Amino acid sequence: MKTITLGASNLEVPVVAVGCMRINSLSKQEAEKFVQTALEEGANFFDHADIYGGGACEEIFADAIHMSDSVRERVILQSKCGIRPDIGTFDFSKEHILYSVDNILKRLKTDYLDILLLHRPDALVEPEEVAEAFDLLESSGKVRHFGVSNQNPMQIELLKKFVKQPLIANQLQLSITNANMISNGINVNMENSSAINRDGSILDYCRLHDITIQPWSPFQYGFFEGVFLGSDKFPKLNEKIDAIARKYEVSNTTIAIAWLLRHPAKMQPVIGTMNIDRLKDCIRASDIVLTREEWYDIYRAAGNILP
């Protein structure tokens, strides 16, 4: 699989990240086979969060991959913290970040994370505390790189005022049907809904500051309302994707991921499938480079407009 450099780091990572939010839906044997297949296909970047399965997903993954020192050298592990389902809040306090990482490491059976992301913005964030936590995690060797998720430019700038480590990734919802961060850059100065800037130009900001965007839910429309592939809600989109898929002799899944990879921002989609065939289809997108015409045809077929 092709690789990219993750943000302003020296980490070379696969262009597709394997999301482990649903690994708790698999049996032990299925989880082992899934993880092994990912490794065989060159997909050795695994995305976690402390809230996935209440922590169980990290434990299941560690058992499935048979975590050991030799295995750890072959994989890149990313996890997220900051959501507190126990009290229904977000929490970027120093105490909670440090507590979360210790438990993530325990569940993953490893001494360190390659990347830690702050999971969604905390309205009560005190960036000085985040900086203290990051310094301790870096100096102790528990976390090597840091990033955020679902944050806009000014929230990142606020953190950067105090945090000395580069923030190398930002996980954001993005798909063909959820493409406002692209649409508002196309419809500048237009009087239509696509021109509404809902995120502070986060796409351009991340490109300017060497922050890799990691699109999550790359097949979803709305907020977990369903998958657009094969949906009768998007007939024109599916017709166009299917036609292009036939041209390249790949699946519609491959084309949906290839559409994201074609963007020059060099994004790293996080796929959530636990189906081995779909996993392979996502990975095949690494070899497909859509033409400019094909990319825009798919964009328009989803109902996105060009001024």
Side-chain angles (χ1 to χ4, degrees):
M1 193 194 310
K2 291 179 182 177
T3 63
I4 57 170
T5 301
L6 196 67
S9 74
N10 58 358
L11 269 179
E12 285 295 312
V13 301
V15 295
V16 172
V18 180
C20 296
M21 184 174 72
R22 299 183 180 90
I23 198 170
N24 60 339
S25 67
L26 304 180
S27 68
K28 180 178 179 181
Q29 292 75 20
E30 289 171 336
E32 289 178 347
K33 186 175 181 181
F34 178 83
V35 171
Q36 185 58 41
T37 300
L39 291 176
E40 290 171 356
E41 295 288 331
N44 69 334
F45 187 109
F46 297 95
D47 174 74
H48 297 272
D50 58 358
I51 65 164
Y52 293 166
C57 291
E58 291 170 329
E59 294 177 338
I60 292 168
F61 170 83
D63 290 340
I65 204 169
H66 303 289
M67 188 66 75
S68 64
D69 289 345
S70 60
V71 169
R72 184 66 185 90
E73 293 175 358
R74 298 172 55 202
V75 298
I76 302 168
L77 297 181
Q78 172 176 280
S79 194
K80 303 180 285 292
C81 73
I83 298 179
R84 295 282 304 274
D86 55 327
I87 56 175
T89 71
F90 302 119
D91 190 348
F92 287 177
S93 66
K94 173 184 175 182
E95 178 184 22
H96 182 69
I97 293 172
L98 296 177
Y99 170 82
S100 297
V101 170
D102 283 344
N103 283 281
I104 288 168
L105 296 178
K106 189 180 300 182
R107 290 190 293 267
L108 288 174
K109 298 180 180 178
T110 182
D111 295 327
Y112 69 95
L113 284 176
D114 294 286
I115 311 105
L116 173 71
L117 305 184
L118 297 178
H119 206 173
R120 291 202 172 275
D122 175 12
L124 302 181
V125 62
E126 297 180 66
E128 301 93 334
E129 283 202 24
V130 174
E132 291 177 13
F134 283 9
D135 285 346
L136 286 170
L137 292 171
E138 182 181 48
S139 64
S140 65
K142 293 180 180 179
V143 178
R144 296 185 174 180
H145 303 280
F146 300 86
V148 297
S149 77
N150 306 291
Q151 294 209 12
N152 67 34
M154 289 303 100
Q155 290 168 326
I156 296 173
E157 284 295 312
L158 179 61
L159 285 175
K160 286 170 63 176
K161 180 179 179 181
F162 299 92
V163 172
K164 69 181 183 183
Q165 295 83 3
L167 300 175
I168 66 172
N170 188 7
Q171 260 187 32
L172 297 158
Q173 185 175 17
L174 176 63
S175 71
I176 297 168
T177 54
N178 286 47
N180 181 256
M181 74 171 69
I182 295 173
S183 298
N184 67 52
I186 294 175
N187 290 272
V188 172
N189 199 40
M190 301 303 296
E191 295 185 1
N192 57 50
S193 60
S194 295
I196 299 173
N197 188 334
R198 295 180 170 89
D199 55 34
S201 300
I202 189 61
L203 173 57
D204 293 329
Y205 174 87
C206 287
R207 294 181 73 182
L208 284 167
H209 293 272
D210 296 321
I211 298 172
T212 297
I213 291 176
Q214 297 178 328
W216 55 268
S217 289
F219 303 106
Q220 290 278 335
Y221 63 90
F223 186 72
F224 291 112
E225 292 178 33
V227 176
F228 59 79
L229 291 176
S231 171
D232 57 12
K233 292 186 177 181
F234 301 94
K236 291 183 179 179
L237 174 60
N238 280 287
E239 181 181 355
K240 179 56 64 177
I241 289 176
D242 290 347
I244 295 173
R246 287 193 295 272
K247 171 189 170 182
Y248 288 98
E249 298 182 332
V250 295
S251 73
N252 56 359
T253 295
T254 300
I255 297 302
I257 295 298
W259 187 85
L260 292 170
L261 296 180
R262 176 61 177 84
H263 196 281
K266 297 182 179 179
M267 303 177 193
Q268 184 194 32
V270 180
I271 59 172
T273 184
M274 291 291 110
N275 180 288
I276 287 177
D277 289 335
R278 288 200 73 209
L279 170 69
K280 291 180 178 179
D281 284 343
C282 291
I283 291 169
R284 288 190 186 100
S286 170
D287 299 321
I288 304 295
V289 180
L290 299 177
T291 67
R292 184 178 295 268
E293 181 180 2
E294 289 166 343
W295 189 92
Y296 274 107
D297 282 349
I298 291 172
Y299 175 81
R300 284 190 296 252
N304 300 305
I305 62 173
L306 295 179

